[in-house]
Structures are given as C-alpha cells and as structure tokens.
Amino acid sequence: FAGKRTRAWLRTSVENEAAHMDWELSVNGTDVQMLADSLTLLMQSQDKYGMRQLVNTREVPDIATGTPYVHYSPQLAAEGVGGDLAAEIGRAANFVDVLIPMSKSYREYRTSLFAASRKGYLICVDIIPGEPGQSIYPSAAAKKAFLENFDARQRPWYRLAQDQGGIIYTDVYLGEDGHLELACAAPYYDADGFAGVVGIGGSIEDLQRQVRKASIGKTGISFCLDSKGRVVLSSRGEGVLAPGLQGTDLRENQEDTLAEAARRMTAGESDVVKVLVDGEEYYLAFAPMPVIGWSFGALIGREEVLVPAQEVTALVHEEMKDFYDILNHNFEGVAGKVLLLLLLLALAAFFTSGALA
C-alpha cells in the first residue's frame, strides 16, 4: 500500500512539473502571436506610420543590451539599401514600440525578441542579464562572425515558421552567442502575403535550472525528451541521459525497459514504470508537455522508493508485536482470575454439597 502511495505521489509530482514548464512555454507562444499580429497590422498599414531610425549593427562599434537595432544580411548589405526598401525599414522600425515593453518581462533571461524580413533585414532587441550597458556581443570574434555571416532567413526558426505557417517551437540549437537556445516563432504578413518571421529566442539555461530543481530524492534524475526521442534537458551531465545537440534516440536504446518507456513518452503518455539506466534500477514517472511536444521524466532509485514501504512494514510488525504482547499479558491475567474463580466455586460446591447431603 505504501509503495502504491509513493508511486502515485511521484506521478502527480511529475505531471505538475510538466504542466508548469509547458505553461511557461505557452506564455512565449502568446507573446509571439502578439508580435505577429502587431507587425502584420503595421506592415499592412504602412502609410499611417512615420519614419524611425534604429541603430545599425554595421555603423556602430557596439550595441548595449536592451537597445533595439537593425541588422542587414551580408547579401543586403552588399546590394545596398535605398528607395522603397529604406522607407519600408524606416516604418517597420515603429515595431520597437511593441518589442521594448515586451522585452522588459524577459529581463531576467538571456533573450532575443526579433522580426526577420524576407527581404533580408532584422529588427531586434537582445537582453543580456546582469549589469546595464553590457554588450550584446560575447567577444570581438563573435561580433565579426555575426556581421559577416548572419542571415536570419537561414536560421531554423525562420524556415520552420515559414513552412508551418503558424506558431512553432524549434529544437534546441546552438545560438550565435555560443549558448544552447530554443525559439518560438510565427510568420507575419504584408499586403503581398508572407513578409517574414517574428519570434522570441533564448538560452535554455532557465529551463535547465528548472529541470535540475525538479529532481526527486537523493537518487533522482529529471530530464526532457523531445519528439525525436532525444534528451534535450537533463539534471545528469553524463551517461545515457546526458543532454546534447546530437543526442541519440532513446527509443533505440539497448535496454528494452528504457527504450519502451521512451516510446511511450514520445507518444504523449503518462505513467510510472521500472527501468534500467546505466545498470541501475529506477522508477520512472513521465508526463507530456503538449505545447512544445516534449515529455518530462523523473527517475528515483528503486531502493529509495521502497524504503518508505519497508519502514511502514517494519513499523506495522513492531506495533503488532506490541499488540500481541499486551494481548498475551491480558490473557494470562484473565486466565489466572478465571482459574481462581473456578477453585472458589469448586470449594463452595464441595462444602455445600456435603451440607446438603
């Protein structure tokens, strides 16, 4: 009974944690939809907006965190910007009136809020937590590489949002700043149709911290599995559950119990099962994260799960032993009294029978 209660508690804990992480990601989706609707309205009513000028990455030595800027792809920079395109960029710059207020809610996280045009320009606000005035470039080499190579239209979030035609969440990828990132993006439109992609991308550091905090017990391991069966976040830094961009499909693991659990996780199921991980036996509780299409799992060592049940069993045995001792003591006391009463009755009967005789 105690073991069932422990497993039920483990399952409930994992379902709650999965729902919490999924909710946070859904907030990104809501914000991205707001960005897409705002820029679509702006692009379809450009004549109602005046011209704005933003800091250009190719014209200043540095850009501080929280500063809205415009970046031209290498191709666009080589071709030059003028005429109608320059006017479009000037009016599109009004989009920062939406980007800047929204970026303040992400000031605790390494985040980028952006709009990438199909014509090759990017309007963006980068947030770097820490001291105000920090550079958005992690190094001079990173800045050089960004200016020479970065074209937003080649990024995974751009292509996926363009292909899907709605809100998307990317796989974990390596960002320009060298951090592992995850992005939520959606297309926006002008009078001619598809005009580009807006999105919010950020380091997975915060999600990784949440995963570490979600570990249960002394032997606990927590992780997130993507739709392809790869471990993308984990509290373990090595072994089969270590995260990585080129992670293997856990559904093809040689350990049958773990592979079957991974198949059920990617199928969106929720359960508590026993698995072998790196030669150790665990209970694995898992629950789906439907917004992003991942699954959250938490493992706890089999012995750690059984200890409460064993302690309860030992306690019950101890209590029963005490009960039996008390019962035996009481029985012995009652038996003595009954025997004494029988002797008194026998003597009374003897004398009474003699007198009657």
Side-chain angles (χ1 to χ4, degrees):
F1 175 74
K4 289 182 179 179
R5 288 288 299 273
T6 302
R7 293 178 66 175
W9 166 78
L10 184 62
R11 179 169 180 168
T12 300
S13 298
V14 167
E15 289 175 345
N16 289 340
E17 188 62 34
H20 173 68
M21 294 180 68
D22 217 37
W23 174 82
E24 289 203 354
L25 290 167
S26 72
V27 171
N28 286 124
T30 301
D31 287 347
V32 165
Q33 187 62 62
M34 184 182 297
L35 293 179
D37 292 343
S38 299
L39 190 51
T40 294
L41 180 63
L42 190 158
M43 296 301 292
Q44 293 179 352
S45 309
Q46 292 188 49
D47 57 332
K48 298 180 180 179
Y49 295 88
M51 303 284 284
R52 299 273 289 274
Q53 188 170 3
L54 299 178
V55 172
N56 190 315
T57 57
R58 300 181 182 280
E59 297 175 355
V60 294
D62 198 6
I63 298 176
T65 174
T67 303
Y69 63 86
V70 63
H71 171 75
Y72 300 154
S73 70
Q75 177 185 355
L76 183 59
E79 294 173 351
V81 177
D84 291 341
L85 182 56
E88 176 184 317
I89 296 173
R91 292 189 174 92
N94 289 286
F95 185 53
V96 299
D97 290 338
V98 179
L99 284 183
I100 292 176
M102 186 176 289
S103 70
K104 293 179 180 178
S105 64
Y106 291 88
R107 60 181 176 270
E108 302 298 326
Y109 314 105
R110 187 181 299 272
T111 311
S112 294
L113 298 90
F114 51 80
S117 169
R118 63 181 174 84
K119 298 178 182 179
Y121 64 87
L122 171 79
I123 295 174
C124 185
V125 174
D126 289 331
I127 305 299
I128 312 296
E131 294 296 325
Q134 286 188 89
S135 172
I136 65 170
Y137 303 113
S139 66
K143 175 186 176 182
K144 183 174 183 293
F146 179 76
L147 295 178
E148 292 180 354
N149 304 311
F150 186 80
D151 185 338
R153 296 170 296 182
Q154 304 303 318
R155 303 307 290 167
W157 44 263
Y158 186 97
R159 293 178 173 180
L160 190 58
Q162 182 179 15
D163 292 342
Q164 297 293 328
I167 293 178
I168 59 90
Y169 291 86
T170 66
D171 291 334
V172 175
Y173 61 92
L174 187 65
E176 296 300 311
D177 57 2
H179 292 267
L180 293 179
E181 297 181 354
L182 175 71
C184 177
Y188 69 92
Y189 303 89
D190 59 18
D192 297 323
F194 174 78
V197 171
V198 299
I200 300 174
S203 169
I204 63 172
E205 292 171 355
D206 184 57
L207 286 174
Q208 181 71 357
R209 280 194 294 270
Q210 288 190 46
V211 168
R212 291 195 188 102
K213 290 180 181 178
S215 297
I216 301 172
K218 298 178 181 178
T219 60
I221 304 170
S222 53
F223 66 98
C224 287
L225 205 66
D226 69 11
S227 61
K228 299 175 183 176
R230 300 175 301 185
V231 178
V232 289
L233 301 171
S234 178
S235 62
R236 174 168 282 192
E238 57 184 18
V240 68
L241 293 181
L245 284 175
Q246 305 300 324
T248 57
D249 189 341
L250 211 59
R251 296 170 295 183
E252 298 177 359
N253 192 270
Q254 294 181 349
E255 173 47 55
D256 293 339
T257 58
L258 185 58
E260 175 60 22
R263 283 190 286 271
R264 295 184 62 190
M265 290 176 74
T266 55
E269 297 183 31
S270 178
D271 202 355
V272 180
V273 297
K274 285 191 288 187
V275 297
L276 282 176
V277 178
D278 296 328
E280 300 290 334
E281 191 171 21
Y282 292 87
Y283 278 97
L284 167 63
F286 53 88
M289 298 170 61
V291 168
I292 195 171
W294 291 0
S295 180
F296 178 76
L299 299 105
I300 185 171
R302 178 178 176 275
E303 294 302 319
E304 192 170 355
V305 171
L306 294 180
V307 162
Q310 293 168 348
E311 289 177 349
V312 170
T313 301
L315 180 61
V316 169
H317 286 166
E318 186 64 29
E319 293 292 335
M320 289 302 294
K321 180 179 180 298
D322 292 343
F323 174 74
Y324 288 140
D325 289 342
I326 294 172
L327 186 63
N328 288 334
H329 177 72
N330 290 340
F331 177 78
E332 290 171 358
V334 171
K337 293 177 181 179
V338 170
L339 182 60
L340 179 60
L341 180 59
L342 289 175
L343 287 174
L344 292 174
L345 289 174
L347 288 172
F350 174 76
F351 288 112
T352 301
S353 62
L356 289 175

